[in-house]
Amino acid sequence: MDLGIIGQAAGLFAVTNIDDILVLALFFAQGAGHPGSTRRIVLGQYLGFAAILAVAVAAAFGATFLPESAIPYLGLLPLALGLKAAWQAWKDHRGGGTDEEEAQPEEGGPNSLEVAAVTIANGGDNIGVYVPVFATAGSGGMAVYAVVFLALVAVWCFAGRYFATRPVIARALARWGHVLLPLVLITIGLLILVEGGAFGL
């Protein structure tokens, strides 16, 4: 296996997914204290990234699933989830949560599909970067990129959880995470929409 391709793949993944660490840290902070939340977040991250990878590989082989003009509209996913999280935070702050919610902690935290949706939307623009790289790498090189990318998803999840569990960061996220998560998701959604020219923006 060519170490040069492995290094290129690791560098490409890091550059195109650096913002995911912040989002993952916020998700892990939101899921703190809820059994199974780590598993759901990791599963969601893998589902989302696997979808991005599948589309990029298919596009590199010439079978484009999404027209380029549709990619900016993926920004609607994190925007909607951010608004939902903001509404939930406002309700929790106003009502202080319900006894039923406290009695069912396993239902707390983000679910896998929410994490996957944010991952897909946030990484949708990465497809445009991955396709030409995959197309020129050939089948063997593409397989190396895929393996390295999927391995680094685990590293990213570990890093996000690590930051979310550091005492200083954990205290800050516990105090402000319910505000930061909706804000970050809404900002990501708006940036994707505006930078892609969705709705003529």
Side-chain angles (χ1 to χ4, degrees), residues 9-19 149 152 156:
L12 182 62
F13 181 91
V15 167
T16 55
N17 293 284
I18 194 69
D19 53 340
F149 281 9
L152 287 176
W156 250 233

Side-chain angles (χ1 to χ4, degrees), residues 25-169:
L26 289 168
F27 276 138
F28 281 119
Q30 187 186 36
H34 298 289
S37 66
T38 297
R39 180 177 46 79
R40 290 194 298 273
I41 293 166
V42 171
L43 176 61
Q45 185 72 7
Y46 265 102
L47 285 173
F49 196 81
I52 291 170
L53 201 54
V55 171
V57 168
F61 280 120
T64 306
F65 294 138
L66 282 176
E68 193 173 328
S69 59
I71 290 176
Y73 293 95
L74 289 173
L76 292 171
L77 289 170
L79 181 60
L81 290 169
L83 291 172
K84 178 188 170 193
W87 172 251
Q88 187 62 50
W90 182 77
K91 277 200 322 185
D92 290 347
H93 176 71
R94 192 164 174 242
T98 66
D99 291 340
E100 185 180 344
E101 287 171 343
E102 289 171 7
Q104 297 180 336
E106 69 276 2
E107 297 299 323
N111 66 49
S112 296
L113 292 180
E114 288 174 342
V115 176
V118 171
T119 303
I120 292 168
N122 196 28
D125 55 339
N126 295 353
I127 293 170
V129 178
Y130 297 159
V131 171
V133 174
F134 287 178
T136 56
S139 298
M142 211 182 301
V144 174
Y145 272 94
V147 170
V148 172
F149 281 9
L150 292 173
L152 287 176
V153 168
V155 175
W156 250 233
C157 289
F158 176 81
R161 191 168 191 281
Y162 175 83
F163 287 125
T165 55
R166 296 308 89 198
V168 173
I169 298 172

